[in-house]
Amino acid sequence: MAKKQPDAVKYKGYVPAEGAKIDRVKATVDPKEFHKRYIAKRQPVIIEGLIQDEDFKAAKWTDLGYLKETAGSASVKIEPIDPDVKTFGTAAEKLKMPFSEFIDKLTSTPDKYYLTTQYDEDGEPSVLPPPMDHLATDFPLHPKITGNLVLQQTNLWIGNSSEGTSSGLHHDFHDNIYCLLRGKKRFVLYPPSAHPSMYTYGELDTVHQNGLISYTNRPSRADGLTEREAAQEKVDALEERWHKLEEGADEEAIAAAEEAFEDAMGELAMLGDEDDEEDLELGDGGDDFEESESDGDWETLGSKAAKPNDVHEEESSDEEDGPTFGEFNGDDDHDSEEEEGLGFDIPEDEDPVSFSTIPVSYLHNHLDLPTISKAPKGNVKDFPLLKTANALVGHLEEGEMLYLPASWFHEVTSSSSKNGTVHMAFNYWFHPPDGSEFKHPYNDRSIWERKLRAVEQKAADIKARVAGKKRKKEKAKAKRKRKQERDAPLKDQKRAKLDGKKTKRNQA
């Protein structure tokens, strides 16, 4: 459980005043101006329009036929709705199926399936996981508006909800450019500095100056790397430099590079063995942006807003430990994975350190927002510190984007524009910048410039492979068309001959 640690909150970015609104900016904004006004200041903003790069063609994904034709063979894992609690984000086992089959299920059985974050075959995050690897030629890997941020992952989110679903209140660990292609979204946002008021599961280690939140189960630097990961990256970079110098530099430069490499190896050794660390790799794959993005919806919206008497305020008996959390009546040793008093289930294979224990119904009621969220089971105690934090509330329409800096808390209510249609979004996750310069957004330049080159090379290889497959497919399609055109006259002749014989038989 999180504890109140004011000294650990070092955030220096934007904090909304009471009654503030989310800024809006045109998608044609100059990238340097965008970085200065929003990325460097760690301020969310709604962007009016989609990615302006010429190779951004994701808007055509709203044609489900195109998605099936282009990426239908991709193998994806789909989250089914829990039949008992009627919600996503439970311990229900994900279903593996071709992407085309998912699209068919989505349109024939709405409100039952959801496409969330995908991983590679080893279960690791990937810059272009399926079905993004099949769609890689439809969007830029480095959109101009994001400047020199380093890409961590791209994702496609598709659901079909007529009534609406909620993500639950949580934060992610990467900067986000979120593109709404179809549907509607309402966002409730809180800054990272509000962490003491968010009642998270995780125990706070640090809220860094750039806003990135680090927990005690995996302490990290402001750029998201652990000290050991950073040391390993430094070793790799120095080793690469050393070997390059051996190709032609003087002996003195080679010796200096070798010495620096050996010093870095010593620093790495002092940090211990990675296998001895019990971390969740949140810096690589712990984001849950929208509909709890990596694990679907954490609470479906119910029929009414929570009433004030649904919440029972109790005084903490241990105030020096900071805020306590939502409690529920009954035996703590219940068998169900559902935490009564929270309103959503905890996946068995995930420790949701970045999720708030504040129920959606309570949050909406506190902010006087329209809601159909049901109050959770049990008698939940009050969350008094929530009243000390100022929220931003905004609406995203089709064809708009949201920039959300790392570790901004958010609750997202999502719905389809019309009954029977899907809601669809595409997003980029970027490693959080800990510097303020447009050209060099990361302080540890040697590490991040190398990582940028590696990401771009890997993504370029995938794009080239996808483009090659597409050309091969188009070539085969053209070959079939030529054959059909060539055979057409023969088929016409044969059909005419058969028709002639039939006519003669009828006359006879």
Side-chain angles (χ1 to χ4, degrees):
M1 295 292 185
K3 296 181 180 179
K4 187 177 181 181
Q5 301 179 27
D7 294 341
V9 180
K10 304 173 182 178
Y11 180 59
K12 300 295 183 182
Y14 169 77
V15 176
E18 184 176 359
K21 304 294 184 183
I22 301 177
D23 262 17
R24 284 182 166 267
V25 67
K26 298 293 184 182
T28 54
V29 62
D30 178 76
K32 289 184 179 180
E33 181 68 15
F34 184 78
H35 184 277
K36 179 181 178 181
R37 291 172 58 186
Y38 301 108
I39 296 178
K41 292 183 179 179
R42 316 308 289 153
Q43 180 173 347
V45 60
I46 292 175
I47 304 165
E48 298 175 347
L50 295 173
I51 299 294
Q52 297 295 293
D53 301 52
E54 291 182 2
D55 51 346
F56 183 79
K57 306 170 186 175
K60 63 184 179 182
W61 296 349
T62 55
D63 178 355
L64 299 184
Y66 173 80
L67 281 184
K68 288 179 67 174
E69 180 181 358
T70 307
S73 62
S75 179
V76 295
K77 288 188 176 180
I78 303 305
E79 188 166 352
I81 196 167
D82 188 295
D84 297 322
V85 297
K86 304 296 183 183
T87 183
F88 294 103
T90 68
E93 184 177 356
K94 291 187 177 181
L95 308 175
K96 189 174 182 179
M97 66 183 70
F99 185 50
S100 59
E101 183 179 340
F102 161 67
I103 293 176
D104 290 338
K105 287 182 177 293
L106 191 68
T107 52
S108 62
T109 52
D111 299 307
K112 289 190 176 182
Y113 300 100
Y114 191 71
L115 179 70
T116 62
T117 306
Q118 303 291 305
Y119 300 96
D120 64 19
E121 294 180 356
D122 298 323
E124 296 296 326
S126 172
V127 173
L128 292 170
M132 304 312 299
D133 52 350
H134 288 62
L135 299 165
T137 57
D138 285 348
F139 59 93
L141 293 169
H142 202 155
K144 294 176 182 177
I145 195 170
T146 59
N148 295 295
L149 299 185
V150 177
L151 181 64
Q152 189 264 346
Q153 189 168 347
T154 56
N155 303 282
L156 182 63
W157 319 105
I158 310 179
N160 189 345
S161 175
S162 56
E163 292 187 347
T165 51
S166 172
S167 64
L169 183 61
H170 66 286
H171 74 80
D172 302 329
F173 297 86
H174 296 92
D175 279 29
N176 197 314
I177 291 288
Y178 182 79
C179 311
L180 184 57
L181 304 178
R182 178 177 285 182
K184 297 181 292 185
K185 310 284 178 180
R186 183 186 68 198
F187 292 87
V188 174
L189 308 179
Y190 288 97
S193 55
H195 185 279
S197 305
M198 297 291 100
Y199 299 87
T200 60
Y201 280 100
E203 183 175 341
L204 179 66
D205 175 66
T206 306
V207 180
H208 291 285
Q209 290 190 13
N210 67 343
L212 183 71
I213 298 176
S214 168
Y215 291 92
T216 55
N217 70 315
R218 185 189 182 275
S220 70
R221 309 189 321 173
D223 59 4
L225 298 177
T226 64
E227 290 295 342
R228 194 186 190 288
E229 287 171 343
Q232 182 65 64
E233 291 284 352
K234 184 178 180 181
V235 165
D236 294 342
L238 288 171
E239 183 179 24
E240 184 179 274
R241 180 173 179 271
W242 172 27
H243 290 315
K244 283 184 177 180
L245 287 174
E246 286 182 320
E247 297 174 2
D250 59 72
E251 292 185 3
E252 185 176 342
I254 294 173
E258 183 179 3
E259 183 179 358
F261 169 72
E262 290 176 350
D263 289 344
M265 284 290 291
E267 294 175 6
L268 177 61
M270 291 178 64
L271 291 172
D273 190 339
E274 186 176 28
D275 293 336
D276 293 334
E277 298 179 4
E278 295 182 359
D279 65 64
L280 291 182
E281 297 297 330
L282 292 177
D284 290 330
D287 285 327
D288 299 291
F289 179 66
E290 187 243 338
E291 279 99 1
S292 83
E293 301 282 53
S294 71
D295 283 287
D297 299 328
W298 281 77
E299 180 178 283
T300 47
L301 304 181
S303 58
K304 295 182 179 180
K307 299 177 182 179
N309 60 7
D310 290 335
V311 179
H312 299 266
E313 184 171 344
E314 300 176 14
E315 296 297 328
S316 170
S317 61
D318 193 14
E319 293 184 1
E320 63 271 20
D321 284 341
T324 55
F325 294 79
E327 297 177 351
F328 51 89
N329 294 333
D331 190 352
D332 287 347
D333 297 327
H334 52 72
D335 294 329
S336 171
E337 283 297 309
E338 182 177 77
E339 291 293 335
E340 297 178 345
L342 301 182
F344 50 78
D345 290 354
I346 302 174
E348 295 177 341
D349 60 349
E350 183 172 337
D351 183 5
V353 294
S354 63
F355 274 80
S356 170
T357 61
I358 300 172
V360 172
S361 56
Y362 185 97
L363 177 69
H364 289 173
N365 189 57
H366 163 68
L367 296 171
D368 294 324
L369 293 175
T371 185
I372 52 174
S373 179
K374 293 180 181 178
K377 299 177 182 178
N379 296 321
V380 186
K381 70 187 306 179
D382 203 0
F383 300 88
L385 291 178
L386 179 62
K387 300 173 184 177
T388 66
N390 293 328
L392 289 172
V393 179
H395 295 80
L396 202 64
E397 301 294 337
E398 292 181 8
E400 294 184 329
M401 302 185 289
L402 174 72
Y403 165 65
L404 190 67
S407 292
W408 268 73
F409 287 87
H410 49 280
E411 182 274 329
V412 190
T413 299
S414 308
S415 60
S416 302
S417 299
K418 300 177 182 178
N419 290 339
T421 64
V422 302
H423 53 81
M424 180 186 303
F426 160 68
N427 89 296
Y428 296 88
W429 273 326
F430 297 93
H431 293 280
D434 58 341
S436 59
E437 296 181 21
F438 175 78
K439 187 175 181 180
H440 303 293
Y442 303 94
N443 288 328
D444 210 332
R445 287 172 54 180
S446 62
I447 288 178
W448 287 101
E449 287 176 359
R450 182 174 179 274
K451 288 179 76 70
L452 177 60
R453 291 194 300 271
V455 168
E456 289 182 340
Q457 183 59 55
K458 182 177 180 180
D461 290 344
I462 295 174
K463 275 205 168 191
R465 187 165 65 248
V466 171
K469 289 182 178 179
K470 181 178 286 188
R471 286 194 299 270
K472 187 176 180 180
K473 186 176 181 180
E474 290 173 349
K475 187 176 180 180
K477 185 177 180 180
K479 185 177 180 180
R480 288 195 300 270
K481 184 178 180 180
R482 288 195 301 269
K483 186 177 185 304
Q484 291 172 353
E485 292 174 347
R486 186 175 61 250
D487 293 345
L490 296 175
K491 289 182 178 179
D492 291 341
Q493 292 176 13
K494 187 179 290 185
R495 187 178 298 109
K497 189 175 181 180
L498 290 173
D499 289 343
K501 288 181 178 181
K502 186 176 180 181
T503 300
K504 288 181 179 180
R505 285 197 302 269
N506 290 336
Q507 291 175 347

